[in-house]
Amino acid sequence: MYGQIFRVVQPKRERYNQAMAQLKEKQDALADAKKKLEDIQNQIEELKKQYDEKMIQKEKLTKEIEFMEMMLDRATRLISGLAGEKTRWEETVADLQIKLGFLPGDCLLAAGFLSYMGPFLSQYREEIMEKIWLPQVRRLNIPCNPEFKFSAFLSKPTQV
């Protein structure tokens, strides 16, 4: 009876042992696959973090680019606006250099006008200035403005 049972049980034990060996192999393969899956999921999480950081950095750089473009546009407009000012400044400098050459005679005429012409009428003042003093200053080769006007020399047009 033991022999009969052994003959029936022995193949079942062998199949059981084979099934258990296969189960162990499959469980090991499953454990390896789970480990690989966990590693891949960790890599995915790390890549997601890196992606989020890079997107934040991209947004910051985009905002910085917009700001820099705005500043560049403003600088360009300022420079183009100042280009017109440059010509005006150059004209002003040239005019002032001319006036600087006339300064000795103009100062002489203005000082004489202030000192001696106060009591006279404006018509008489202009006559003395144009007929006597300006020709005398020119004869002495003292540089002066050919269109010298006392009111223009010592004051600004807005004050007059």
Side-chain angles (χ1 to χ4, degrees), residues 97-120:
Q97 285 177 339
I98 292 170
K99 287 181 180 178
L100 185 64
F102 296 146
L103 198 57
D106 290 353
C107 287
L108 176 67
L109 290 171
F113 191 96
L114 276 173
S115 299
Y116 300 110
M117 298 287 201
F120 302 117

Side-chain angles (χ1 to χ4, degrees), residues 104-114 129 133-134 137 144 148 150:
D106 290 353
C107 287
L108 176 67
L109 290 171
F113 191 96
L114 276 173
M129 181 69 72
W133 288 7
L134 278 172
V137 168
C144 70
F148 178 80
F150 178 73

Side-chain angles (χ1 to χ4, degrees), residues 73-87:
D73 181 50
R74 287 180 181 173
T76 303
R77 283 190 281 154
L78 177 66
I79 289 171
S80 64
L82 290 177
E85 287 294 311
K86 179 185 176 196
T87 21

